[in-house]
Amino acid sequence: MEEHVGQVWDRFITKIANQGYPEAAVTLDQVKTPLGVFYRALGGDSALRITATTATLHKARRSWLHKVAGTGKKVELAWQDEICLYLPAQLDLFPDAQLNRDLYFWLAAMAGTPVPAQTHRNLNWIVDNQQRTSKTLQKYRGLHQRYQRLVRAFIALRPDPVKLKPEIAAQEQAIQQALIDPGSITELPEARFAPEPVPLWLHPNPPHNGGLSSSNETKDRNASKGETRQAEQRRRQAERVDKPDEQGANLGVRHEADLFSFAEFCKMDRSTEEEDDLDQAEGIANDIDKMSVTQDNTTVASRIKFDLDLPSEEEDDIPLNEGILYPEWDYKKNIMLRDYCQIIPMMSRKAVDCELPVHLQKPARRLRRQFESLAARPQWIRGQYEGDKLDLDAYLDFRGSASSNGSANSGDPRLYYQKRPLVRDMACLLLADLSLSTDAWVNDKQQVVDVIRDSVHLFAESLHASGDQFAIHGFSSRRRQHVRFNCIKDFHESYNAKIRGRIADISPGFYTRMGAAIRHATDLLGKQSAQKKLLLLLTDGKPNDLDRYEGRHGVEDTRKAILEARNQGLIPFCITIDEEANQYLPYLFGRQGYTFIRQAEQLPKRLPQLYMTLTGKLLGS
């Protein structure tokens, strides 16, 4: 009973203390797509993805209601770094939902406005934000009215300086003046408390990762996208610290500071342990303002686990050669790292010849009929001296030219259409992402890898019927030295029961070093003699690996590999089921270079249709 009363009281006082307007709330998920287009249209960095920020402590004076409720200690403010644009997960600052929506777009525009680095370091946060505001309004004059509406509504919510103590009133008056007339305030009056946070400005001291990148030998992550695609993703502030000296910790010391420090440190091996109570673990993480992480170099079970994760030589796929070295793009240094990644071509050891699965036989028959007719379909060739029918456009041009020149023999009389069999001089390489994320579930009956298997089966059946040259490969990686490139069907191989057996043996691998795989696929496809060469990438997520390939580095290297493929005359195209694809694929493939399948279970049907549409455009049929 006592616990129930406590819960009721907590909900009641928290609701009263909340100064927002939940009924007018706008979430980041609701505006992320148009916001991404808006941000990049204004010149924002195309490689940055938009994600939820973290709540950080502020030192402003809290009201008594906040103190009673235990709330109001943290605030979510916008900021950006070289990887992401961080915005609040939800905005309910204003009673009007349109104003909350406008605030998202204003923050995105402000974050995308560059400030000279040498100037930024010498400015305090209030001057910096005023400068950004002024530059944003000067550059995008269409934002003036939106900004003025936000300022008027925001000032109406701020405390009245007349009712505040003198030192706090001076601060508040300066902030309101800086909002109304950006650039008019050069410094903030001093006071015992920090001013109230300003959600119309960027974070005065944004959190950073604290250099948490560890060495390749000790860092391990879980590649399953199911664990990273949370309904609410928030960035955590962290710092790397030295390992505490346990021998120096003496419980006999009674100094309060020493006891507090010793009680805070807890040795936990989070590379192997998992928290059973995930809700409790998330609650603890949310309460911590900064997580301090250290690295223990002692040999522990994680090293054994790492070895066990790799299959033995007898159980692993068959390597086809010792490996092929490829470069990788370092966007920070603006150089290509020569011989940096190793592609290991492999072939399934356990694949057994088989027929098409029963549940795919009916759609396969329908697709075979469609693609067989596609191969036999004739095309009309214009500009012929004789043919099957008259080209009216060419005839009118010819007659007009003759009339203007006064000669009946003026112009080239190629006035006929001629019907000829369509020659599909086409080569396609399907590159499937077989990373560990494909082990996730699409629905209660299917995993992503099951959907990929079915899609590849129907794709192979369709292209075999069309007569087009095609190859199928899969890839996954475990750091740069081990990029697995699984050969399912090569260009020189005939499609038969052996190939169907390899497709049936497709299974989840490791991580997604996409750039190296695309470079190797480019080399294989580039050797074909076809007139048109299509590189299809089938994936469920963005580039990532255990090392620094996570984040911006992987995105930039993949983009570089795609540009290299285009320069060699290939047509790269991506098919994805990743719900956040619009955050990075336009930067990688361009607006017309990818498609998103909303319902992953529809991929087997959609993949052959997409191929038919793409090749129809490429071949002009």
Side-chain angles (χ1 to χ4, degrees), residues 28 31-32 34-40 42-45 50 78-80 85-88 91 101-114 132 136 140 143 146 199-200 202:
L28 182 58
V31 299
K32 183 178 286 187
L35 193 63
V37 176
F38 175 81
Y39 173 73
R40 292 172 179 89
L42 295 186
D45 193 334
I50 299 175
W79 59 286
Q80 75 172 18
L85 167 61
Y86 302 95
L87 296 171
L91 285 176
R101 181 184 173 88
D102 286 348
L103 181 54
Y104 269 122
F105 286 85
W106 166 252
L107 291 173
M110 192 175 175
T113 302
R132 284 183 181 274
T136 303
Y140 313 113
L143 295 177
R146 178 176 295 182
L200 270 64
L202 301 186

mmCIF file of all heavy atoms in Angstrom, residues 28 31-32 34-40 42-45 50 78-80 85-88 91 101-114 132 136 140 143 146 199-200 202:
data_model
loop_
_atom_site.group_PDB
_atom_site.id
_atom_site.type_symbol
_atom_site.label_atom_id
_atom_site.label_comp_id
_atom_site.label_asym_id
_atom_site.label_seq_id
_atom_site.Cartn_x
_atom_site.Cartn_y
_atom_site.Cartn_z
ATOM 1 N N LEU A 28 10.752 13.920 -32.726
ATOM 2 C CA LEU A 28 11.763 13.949 -33.787
ATOM 3 C C LEU A 28 11.431 12.958 -34.892
ATOM 4 O O LEU A 28 11.665 13.229 -36.077
ATOM 5 C CB LEU A 28 13.146 13.652 -33.191
ATOM 6 C CG LEU A 28 14.328 13.684 -34.160
ATOM 7 C CD1 LEU A 28 14.438 15.040 -34.839
ATOM 8 C CD2 LEU A 28 15.624 13.341 -33.426
ATOM 9 N N VAL A 31 9.201 14.386 -37.678
ATOM 10 C CA VAL A 31 9.714 15.411 -38.599
ATOM 11 C C VAL A 31 11.072 15.043 -39.189
ATOM 12 O O VAL A 31 11.639 15.825 -39.954
ATOM 13 C CB VAL A 31 9.826 16.781 -37.888
ATOM 14 C CG1 VAL A 31 8.474 17.249 -37.392
ATOM 15 C CG2 VAL A 31 10.820 16.708 -36.724
ATOM 16 N N LYS A 32 11.603 13.862 -38.859
ATOM 17 C CA LYS A 32 12.983 13.542 -39.252
ATOM 18 C C LYS A 32 13.169 13.553 -40.761
ATOM 19 O O LYS A 32 14.157 14.088 -41.267
ATOM 20 C CB LYS A 32 13.379 12.179 -38.687
ATOM 21 C CG LYS A 32 14.820 11.809 -38.981
ATOM 22 C CD LYS A 32 15.195 10.474 -38.360
ATOM 23 C CE LYS A 32 15.377 10.583 -36.873
ATOM 24 N NZ LYS A 32 15.914 9.321 -36.289
ATOM 25 N N PRO A 34 11.329 15.141 -43.426
ATOM 26 C CA PRO A 34 11.378 16.483 -44.032
ATOM 27 C C PRO A 34 12.490 17.345 -43.449
ATOM 28 O O PRO A 34 13.052 18.194 -44.144
ATOM 29 C CB PRO A 34 9.990 17.065 -43.724
ATOM 30 C CG PRO A 34 9.477 16.287 -42.567
ATOM 31 C CD PRO A 34 10.044 14.909 -42.724
ATOM 32 N N LEU A 35 12.829 17.110 -42.180
ATOM 33 C CA LEU A 35 13.891 17.887 -41.552
ATOM 34 C C LEU A 35 15.240 17.580 -42.201
ATOM 35 O O LEU A 35 16.063 18.488 -42.389
ATOM 36 C CB LEU A 35 13.943 17.570 -40.056
ATOM 37 C CG LEU A 35 14.781 18.503 -39.181
ATOM 38 C CD1 LEU A 35 14.195 19.908 -39.213
ATOM 39 C CD2 LEU A 35 14.799 17.995 -37.741
ATOM 40 N N GLY A 36 15.459 16.301 -42.551
ATOM 41 C CA GLY A 36 16.699 15.937 -43.223
ATOM 42 C C GLY A 36 16.830 16.613 -44.580
ATOM 43 O O GLY A 36 17.902 17.107 -44.952
ATOM 44 N N VAL A 37 15.725 16.639 -45.328
ATOM 45 C CA VAL A 37 15.728 17.316 -46.633
ATOM 46 C C VAL A 37 15.985 18.809 -46.453
ATOM 47 O O VAL A 37 16.783 19.419 -47.186
ATOM 48 C CB VAL A 37 14.386 17.079 -47.358
ATOM 49 C CG1 VAL A 37 14.336 17.858 -48.667
ATOM 50 C CG2 VAL A 37 14.177 15.589 -47.608
ATOM 51 N N PHE A 38 15.329 19.426 -45.482
ATOM 52 C CA PHE A 38 15.474 20.852 -45.204
ATOM 53 C C PHE A 38 16.916 21.181 -44.818
ATOM 54 O O PHE A 38 17.520 22.123 -45.344
ATOM 55 C CB PHE A 38 14.511 21.230 -44.075
ATOM 56 C CG PHE A 38 14.628 22.645 -43.583
ATOM 57 C CD1 PHE A 38 14.020 23.686 -44.268
ATOM 58 C CD2 PHE A 38 15.343 22.931 -42.431
ATOM 59 C CE1 PHE A 38 14.119 24.998 -43.812
ATOM 60 C CE2 PHE A 38 15.442 24.242 -41.957
ATOM 61 C CZ PHE A 38 14.833 25.269 -42.661
ATOM 62 N N TYR A 39 17.477 20.389 -43.910
ATOM 63 C CA TYR A 39 18.835 20.636 -43.406
ATOM 64 C C TYR A 39 19.856 20.564 -44.545
ATOM 65 O O TYR A 39 20.740 21.420 -44.664
ATOM 66 C CB TYR A 39 19.161 19.614 -42.319
ATOM 67 C CG TYR A 39 20.584 19.650 -41.820
ATOM 68 C CD1 TYR A 39 21.031 20.683 -41.011
ATOM 69 C CD2 TYR A 39 21.480 18.634 -42.153
ATOM 70 C CE1 TYR A 39 22.336 20.705 -40.543
ATOM 71 C CE2 TYR A 39 22.778 18.647 -41.693
ATOM 72 C CZ TYR A 39 23.207 19.676 -40.885
ATOM 73 O OH TYR A 39 24.495 19.696 -40.429
ATOM 74 N N ARG A 40 19.728 19.560 -45.399
ATOM 75 C CA ARG A 40 20.696 19.393 -46.482
ATOM 76 C C ARG A 40 20.460 20.396 -47.605
ATOM 77 O O ARG A 40 21.403 20.814 -48.285
ATOM 78 C CB ARG A 40 20.645 17.960 -47.002
ATOM 79 C CG ARG A 40 21.158 16.968 -45.956
ATOM 80 C CD ARG A 40 20.955 15.509 -46.334
ATOM 81 N NE ARG A 40 21.487 14.629 -45.308
ATOM 82 C CZ ARG A 40 20.805 14.192 -44.259
ATOM 83 N NH1 ARG A 40 19.535 14.551 -44.111
ATOM 84 N NH2 ARG A 40 21.365 13.414 -43.357
ATOM 85 N N LEU A 42 19.662 23.427 -47.163
ATOM 86 C CA LEU A 42 20.268 24.680 -46.719
ATOM 87 C C LEU A 42 21.791 24.609 -46.684
ATOM 88 O O LEU A 42 22.446 25.544 -46.216
ATOM 89 C CB LEU A 42 19.757 25.048 -45.316
ATOM 90 C CG LEU A 42 18.264 25.371 -45.193
ATOM 91 C CD1 LEU A 42 17.949 25.861 -43.793
ATOM 92 C CD2 LEU A 42 17.838 26.409 -46.214
ATOM 93 N N GLY A 43 22.344 23.498 -47.139
ATOM 94 C CA GLY A 43 23.799 23.378 -47.182
ATOM 95 C C GLY A 43 24.394 22.612 -46.028
ATOM 96 O O GLY A 43 25.620 22.590 -45.873
ATOM 97 N N GLY A 44 23.562 21.974 -45.190
ATOM 98 C CA GLY A 44 24.087 21.168 -44.102
ATOM 99 C C GLY A 44 24.866 19.979 -44.615
ATOM 100 O O GLY A 44 24.647 19.508 -45.738
ATOM 101 N N ASP A 45 25.767 19.475 -43.803
ATOM 102 C CA ASP A 45 26.630 18.361 -44.188
ATOM 103 C C ASP A 45 25.775 17.143 -44.542
ATOM 104 O O ASP A 45 25.041 16.620 -43.708
ATOM 105 C CB ASP A 45 27.576 18.020 -43.035
ATOM 106 C CG ASP A 45 28.702 17.096 -43.465
ATOM 107 O OD1 ASP A 45 28.515 16.348 -44.436
ATOM 108 O OD2 ASP A 45 29.768 17.119 -42.814
ATOM 109 N N ILE A 50 20.607 12.598 -38.526
ATOM 110 C CA ILE A 50 19.858 13.300 -37.485
ATOM 111 C C ILE A 50 19.408 12.290 -36.449
ATOM 112 O O ILE A 50 18.785 11.280 -36.774
ATOM 113 C CB ILE A 50 18.653 14.036 -38.096
ATOM 114 C CG1 ILE A 50 19.125 15.080 -39.106
ATOM 115 C CG2 ILE A 50 17.813 14.694 -37.014
ATOM 116 C CD1 ILE A 50 18.003 15.774 -39.842
ATOM 117 N N ALA A 78 20.063 21.267 -28.651
ATOM 118 C CA ALA A 78 20.577 20.828 -29.952
ATOM 119 C C ALA A 78 22.070 21.111 -30.061
ATOM 120 O O ALA A 78 22.592 22.065 -29.481
ATOM 121 C CB ALA A 78 19.823 21.537 -31.071
ATOM 122 N N TRP A 79 22.764 20.273 -30.851
ATOM 123 C CA TRP A 79 24.170 20.485 -31.176
ATOM 124 C C TRP A 79 24.546 19.524 -32.283
ATOM 125 O O TRP A 79 23.756 18.653 -32.657
ATOM 126 C CB TRP A 79 25.059 20.281 -29.946
ATOM 127 C CG TRP A 79 24.978 18.918 -29.317
ATOM 128 C CD1 TRP A 79 23.950 18.420 -28.570
ATOM 129 C CD2 TRP A 79 25.959 17.879 -29.381
ATOM 130 N NE1 TRP A 79 24.227 17.146 -28.164
ATOM 131 C CE2 TRP A 79 25.460 16.779 -28.641
ATOM 132 C CE3 TRP A 79 27.205 17.763 -29.985
ATOM 133 C CZ2 TRP A 79 26.163 15.593 -28.507
ATOM 134 C CZ3 TRP A 79 27.922 16.582 -29.824
ATOM 135 C CH2 TRP A 79 27.393 15.523 -29.092
ATOM 136 N N GLN A 80 25.736 19.659 -32.833
ATOM 137 C CA GLN A 80 26.175 18.744 -33.873
ATOM 138 C C GLN A 80 27.685 18.553 -33.779
ATOM 139 O O GLN A 80 28.414 19.396 -33.259
ATOM 140 C CB GLN A 80 25.787 19.242 -35.262
ATOM 141 C CG GLN A 80 26.618 20.385 -35.809
ATOM 142 C CD GLN A 80 26.284 20.680 -37.258
ATOM 143 O OE1 GLN A 80 25.248 20.299 -37.775
ATOM 144 N NE2 GLN A 80 27.174 21.378 -37.940
ATOM 145 N N LEU A 85 23.745 15.314 -36.285
ATOM 146 C CA LEU A 85 23.038 16.496 -35.805
ATOM 147 C C LEU A 85 22.104 16.002 -34.715
ATOM 148 O O LEU A 85 21.221 15.189 -34.958
ATOM 149 C CB LEU A 85 22.248 17.151 -36.928
ATOM 150 C CG LEU A 85 21.214 18.212 -36.514
ATOM 151 C CD1 LEU A 85 21.894 19.375 -35.811
ATOM 152 C CD2 LEU A 85 20.421 18.704 -37.723
ATOM 153 N N TYR A 86 22.316 16.479 -33.485
ATOM 154 C CA TYR A 86 21.562 16.007 -32.331
ATOM 155 C C TYR A 86 20.463 17.010 -31.991
ATOM 156 O O TYR A 86 20.733 18.192 -31.769
ATOM 157 C CB TYR A 86 22.487 15.829 -31.121
ATOM 158 C CG TYR A 86 23.614 14.864 -31.371
ATOM 159 C CD1 TYR A 86 24.865 15.324 -31.774
ATOM 160 C CD2 TYR A 86 23.437 13.494 -31.229
ATOM 161 C CE1 TYR A 86 25.899 14.445 -32.023
ATOM 162 C CE2 TYR A 86 24.469 12.614 -31.469
ATOM 163 C CZ TYR A 86 25.704 13.085 -31.868
ATOM 164 O OH TYR A 86 26.724 12.209 -32.114
ATOM 165 N N LEU A 87 19.230 16.518 -31.978
ATOM 166 C CA LEU A 87 18.064 17.349 -31.668
ATOM 167 C C LEU A 87 17.245 16.668 -30.584
ATOM 168 O O LEU A 87 17.312 15.444 -30.423
ATOM 169 C CB LEU A 87 17.208 17.545 -32.920
ATOM 170 C CG LEU A 87 17.865 18.311 -34.071
ATOM 171 C CD1 LEU A 87 16.997 18.236 -35.317
ATOM 172 C CD2 LEU A 87 18.119 19.762 -33.690
ATOM 173 N N PRO A 88 16.454 17.443 -29.811
ATOM 174 C CA PRO A 88 15.624 16.821 -28.761
ATOM 175 C C PRO A 88 14.706 15.744 -29.333
ATOM 176 O O PRO A 88 14.158 15.891 -30.439
ATOM 177 C CB PRO A 88 14.818 18.003 -28.210
ATOM 178 C CG PRO A 88 15.677 19.203 -28.485
ATOM 179 C CD PRO A 88 16.356 18.911 -29.793
ATOM 180 N N LEU A 91 9.697 17.803 -28.582
ATOM 181 C CA LEU A 91 9.555 19.210 -28.225
ATOM 182 C C LEU A 91 8.112 19.487 -27.838
ATOM 183 O O LEU A 91 7.194 19.268 -28.630
ATOM 184 C CB LEU A 91 9.958 20.108 -29.404
ATOM 185 C CG LEU A 91 11.465 20.246 -29.682
ATOM 186 C CD1 LEU A 91 11.695 21.084 -30.926
ATOM 187 C CD2 LEU A 91 12.185 20.856 -28.485
ATOM 188 N N ARG A 101 7.048 22.365 -34.007
ATOM 189 C CA ARG A 101 7.590 21.877 -35.287
ATOM 190 C C ARG A 101 8.547 22.901 -35.891
ATOM 191 O O ARG A 101 9.622 22.550 -36.385
ATOM 192 C CB ARG A 101 6.426 21.586 -36.251
ATOM 193 C CG ARG A 101 6.851 21.055 -37.603
ATOM 194 C CD ARG A 101 5.642 20.880 -38.514
ATOM 195 N NE ARG A 101 6.026 20.526 -39.862
ATOM 196 C CZ ARG A 101 6.214 19.291 -40.301
ATOM 197 N NH1 ARG A 101 6.055 18.282 -39.468
ATOM 198 N NH2 ARG A 101 6.574 19.059 -41.554
ATOM 199 N N ASP A 102 8.138 24.179 -35.863
ATOM 200 C CA ASP A 102 9.009 25.234 -36.401
ATOM 201 C C ASP A 102 10.343 25.288 -35.658
ATOM 202 O O ASP A 102 11.382 25.594 -36.258
ATOM 203 C CB ASP A 102 8.311 26.593 -36.301
ATOM 204 C CG ASP A 102 7.198 26.751 -37.319
ATOM 205 O OD1 ASP A 102 7.122 25.919 -38.241
ATOM 206 O OD2 ASP A 102 6.399 27.691 -37.181
ATOM 207 N N LEU A 103 10.314 24.995 -34.366
ATOM 208 C CA LEU A 103 11.548 25.041 -33.577
ATOM 209 C C LEU A 103 12.550 23.994 -34.064
ATOM 210 O O LEU A 103 13.761 24.248 -34.101
ATOM 211 C CB LEU A 103 11.222 24.831 -32.093
ATOM 212 C CG LEU A 103 12.420 24.868 -31.131
ATOM 213 C CD1 LEU A 103 13.228 26.148 -31.306
ATOM 214 C CD2 LEU A 103 11.936 24.736 -29.687
ATOM 215 N N TYR A 104 12.066 22.813 -34.434
ATOM 216 C CA TYR A 104 12.960 21.789 -34.994
ATOM 217 C C TYR A 104 13.673 22.335 -36.236
ATOM 218 O O TYR A 104 14.894 22.185 -36.395
ATOM 219 C CB TYR A 104 12.163 20.544 -35.371
ATOM 220 C CG TYR A 104 12.061 19.512 -34.274
ATOM 221 C CD1 TYR A 104 10.820 19.087 -33.806
ATOM 222 C CD2 TYR A 104 13.203 18.940 -33.712
ATOM 223 C CE1 TYR A 104 10.716 18.127 -32.807
ATOM 224 C CE2 TYR A 104 13.111 17.978 -32.716
ATOM 225 C CZ TYR A 104 11.870 17.572 -32.267
ATOM 226 O OH TYR A 104 11.776 16.626 -31.286
ATOM 227 N N PHE A 105 12.917 22.965 -37.130
ATOM 228 C CA PHE A 105 13.506 23.450 -38.377
ATOM 229 C C PHE A 105 14.446 24.631 -38.121
ATOM 230 O O PHE A 105 15.466 24.772 -38.806
ATOM 231 C CB PHE A 105 12.405 23.827 -39.367
ATOM 232 C CG PHE A 105 11.719 22.637 -39.976
ATOM 233 C CD1 PHE A 105 10.666 22.000 -39.335
ATOM 234 C CD2 PHE A 105 12.152 22.124 -41.183
ATOM 235 C CE1 PHE A 105 10.050 20.885 -39.884
ATOM 236 C CE2 PHE A 105 11.544 21.010 -41.752
ATOM 237 C CZ PHE A 105 10.489 20.390 -41.096
ATOM 238 N N TRP A 106 14.114 25.460 -37.152
ATOM 239 C CA TRP A 106 15.006 26.578 -36.820
ATOM 240 C C TRP A 106 16.337 26.060 -36.260
ATOM 241 O O TRP A 106 17.412 26.534 -36.652
ATOM 242 C CB TRP A 106 14.346 27.524 -35.820
ATOM 243 C CG TRP A 106 15.336 28.480 -35.215
ATOM 244 C CD1 TRP A 106 15.822 28.481 -33.945
ATOM 245 C CD2 TRP A 106 15.989 29.557 -35.893
ATOM 246 N NE1 TRP A 106 16.737 29.484 -33.778
ATOM 247 C CE2 TRP A 106 16.861 30.159 -34.972
ATOM 248 C CE3 TRP A 106 15.922 30.061 -37.187
ATOM 249 C CZ2 TRP A 106 17.660 31.246 -35.297
ATOM 250 C CZ3 TRP A 106 16.736 31.144 -37.523
ATOM 251 C CH2 TRP A 106 17.583 31.730 -36.585
ATOM 252 N N LEU A 107 16.277 25.090 -35.370
ATOM 253 C CA LEU A 107 17.501 24.533 -34.793
ATOM 254 C C LEU A 107 18.365 23.873 -35.865
ATOM 255 O O LEU A 107 19.593 23.973 -35.838
ATOM 256 C CB LEU A 107 17.149 23.525 -33.694
ATOM 257 C CG LEU A 107 16.533 24.107 -32.422
ATOM 258 C CD1 LEU A 107 16.071 22.989 -31.496
ATOM 259 C CD2 LEU A 107 17.519 25.022 -31.697
ATOM 260 N N ALA A 108 17.727 23.176 -36.815
ATOM 261 C CA ALA A 108 18.483 22.543 -37.895
ATOM 262 C C ALA A 108 19.171 23.596 -38.758
ATOM 263 O O ALA A 108 20.340 23.434 -39.142
ATOM 264 C CB ALA A 108 17.564 21.675 -38.746
ATOM 265 N N ALA A 109 18.464 24.681 -39.076
ATOM 266 C CA ALA A 109 19.055 25.752 -39.882
ATOM 267 C C ALA A 109 20.203 26.415 -39.143
ATOM 268 O O ALA A 109 21.254 26.711 -39.725
ATOM 269 C CB ALA A 109 17.982 26.782 -40.243
ATOM 270 N N MET A 110 20.035 26.631 -37.857
ATOM 271 C CA MET A 110 21.068 27.289 -37.056
ATOM 272 C C MET A 110 22.306 26.407 -36.918
ATOM 273 O O MET A 110 23.442 26.875 -36.995
ATOM 274 C CB MET A 110 20.490 27.616 -35.680
ATOM 275 C CG MET A 110 21.347 28.542 -34.845
ATOM 276 S SD MET A 110 20.487 28.971 -33.327
ATOM 277 C CE MET A 110 21.761 29.915 -32.490
ATOM 278 N N ALA A 111 22.084 25.101 -36.726
ATOM 279 C CA ALA A 111 23.219 24.184 -36.589
ATOM 280 C C ALA A 111 24.004 24.084 -37.888
ATOM 281 O O ALA A 111 25.220 23.888 -37.873
ATOM 282 C CB ALA A 111 22.715 22.801 -36.173
ATOM 283 N N GLY A 112 23.327 24.200 -39.013
ATOM 284 C CA GLY A 112 23.991 24.087 -40.304
ATOM 285 C C GLY A 112 24.693 25.351 -40.756
ATOM 286 O O GLY A 112 25.374 25.344 -41.776
ATOM 287 N N THR A 113 24.542 26.445 -40.010
ATOM 288 C CA THR A 113 25.214 27.692 -40.361
ATOM 289 C C THR A 113 26.627 27.680 -39.798
ATOM 290 O O THR A 113 26.820 27.629 -38.585
ATOM 291 C CB THR A 113 24.442 28.899 -39.802
ATOM 292 O OG1 THR A 113 23.110 28.892 -40.318
ATOM 293 C CG2 THR A 113 25.130 30.195 -40.195
ATOM 294 N N PRO A 114 27.648 27.717 -40.652
ATOM 295 C CA PRO A 114 29.025 27.619 -40.149
ATOM 296 C C PRO A 114 29.475 28.895 -39.451
ATOM 297 O O PRO A 114 29.084 30.003 -39.829
ATOM 298 C CB PRO A 114 29.845 27.358 -41.416
ATOM 299 C CG PRO A 114 29.032 27.983 -42.515
ATOM 300 C CD PRO A 114 27.596 27.810 -42.120
ATOM 301 N N ARG A 132 25.501 33.011 -34.680
ATOM 302 C CA ARG A 132 24.867 31.990 -35.521
ATOM 303 C C ARG A 132 23.472 32.439 -35.950
ATOM 304 O O ARG A 132 23.059 32.243 -37.094
ATOM 305 C CB ARG A 132 24.784 30.668 -34.764
ATOM 306 C CG ARG A 132 26.089 29.913 -34.676
ATOM 307 C CD ARG A 132 25.890 28.582 -33.976
ATOM 308 N NE ARG A 132 27.126 27.842 -33.862
ATOM 309 C CZ ARG A 132 27.603 27.031 -34.798
ATOM 310 N NH1 ARG A 132 26.933 26.854 -35.923
ATOM 311 N NH2 ARG A 132 28.732 26.383 -34.621
ATOM 312 N N THR A 136 22.355 33.068 -39.758
ATOM 313 C CA THR A 136 21.257 32.256 -40.292
ATOM 314 C C THR A 136 20.177 33.142 -40.899
ATOM 315 O O THR A 136 19.670 32.874 -41.998
ATOM 316 C CB THR A 136 20.656 31.384 -39.189
ATOM 317 O OG1 THR A 136 21.676 30.552 -38.613
ATOM 318 C CG2 THR A 136 19.568 30.479 -39.737
ATOM 319 N N TYR A 140 19.306 33.129 -44.827
ATOM 320 C CA TYR A 140 17.985 32.589 -45.192
ATOM 321 C C TYR A 140 16.908 33.551 -44.709
ATOM 322 O O TYR A 140 16.353 33.382 -43.614
ATOM 323 C CB TYR A 140 17.793 31.201 -44.575
ATOM 324 C CG TYR A 140 18.967 30.277 -44.770
ATOM 325 C CD1 TYR A 140 19.734 29.874 -43.682
ATOM 326 C CD2 TYR A 140 19.324 29.824 -46.034
ATOM 327 C CE1 TYR A 140 20.822 29.036 -43.851
ATOM 328 C CE2 TYR A 140 20.406 28.994 -46.216
ATOM 329 C CZ TYR A 140 21.159 28.607 -45.122
ATOM 330 O OH TYR A 140 22.233 27.786 -45.290
ATOM 331 N N LEU A 143 13.408 32.765 -43.181
ATOM 332 C CA LEU A 143 13.226 32.282 -41.818
ATOM 333 C C LEU A 143 12.902 33.399 -40.823
ATOM 334 O O LEU A 143 12.670 33.115 -39.643
ATOM 335 C CB LEU A 143 14.486 31.541 -41.341
ATOM 336 C CG LEU A 143 14.836 30.240 -42.083
ATOM 337 C CD1 LEU A 143 16.146 29.675 -41.554
ATOM 338 C CD2 LEU A 143 13.719 29.216 -41.902
ATOM 339 N N ARG A 146 9.419 33.083 -39.144
ATOM 340 C CA ARG A 146 9.380 31.916 -38.269
ATOM 341 C C ARG A 146 10.157 32.194 -36.981
ATOM 342 O O ARG A 146 9.692 31.863 -35.890
ATOM 343 C CB ARG A 146 9.972 30.708 -38.993
ATOM 344 C CG ARG A 146 10.013 29.451 -38.152
ATOM 345 C CD ARG A 146 10.522 28.266 -38.942
ATOM 346 N NE ARG A 146 9.616 27.916 -40.033
ATOM 347 C CZ ARG A 146 9.814 26.884 -40.850
ATOM 348 N NH1 ARG A 146 10.895 26.128 -40.725
ATOM 349 N NH2 ARG A 146 8.944 26.620 -41.798
ATOM 350 N N PRO A 199 16.209 27.019 -25.300
ATOM 351 C CA PRO A 199 16.025 25.987 -26.329
ATOM 352 C C PRO A 199 16.108 26.498 -27.762
ATOM 353 O O PRO A 199 16.215 25.704 -28.691
ATOM 354 C CB PRO A 199 14.617 25.447 -26.033
ATOM 355 C CG PRO A 199 14.356 25.797 -24.605
ATOM 356 C CD PRO A 199 15.058 27.098 -24.386
ATOM 357 N N LEU A 200 16.066 27.826 -27.971
ATOM 358 C CA LEU A 200 16.195 28.376 -29.314
ATOM 359 C C LEU A 200 17.659 28.469 -29.754
ATOM 360 O O LEU A 200 17.937 28.828 -30.901
ATOM 361 C CB LEU A 200 15.562 29.767 -29.399
ATOM 362 C CG LEU A 200 14.072 29.832 -29.778
ATOM 363 C CD1 LEU A 200 13.217 29.163 -28.711
ATOM 364 C CD2 LEU A 200 13.622 31.271 -29.990
ATOM 365 N N LEU A 202 21.837 26.719 -29.560
ATOM 366 C CA LEU A 202 22.556 25.459 -29.495
ATOM 367 C C LEU A 202 23.177 25.270 -28.117
ATOM 368 O O LEU A 202 23.308 26.212 -27.337
ATOM 369 C CB LEU A 202 23.643 25.410 -30.571
ATOM 370 C CG LEU A 202 23.182 25.561 -32.020
ATOM 371 C CD1 LEU A 202 24.357 25.351 -32.968
ATOM 372 C CD2 LEU A 202 22.060 24.589 -32.346
#
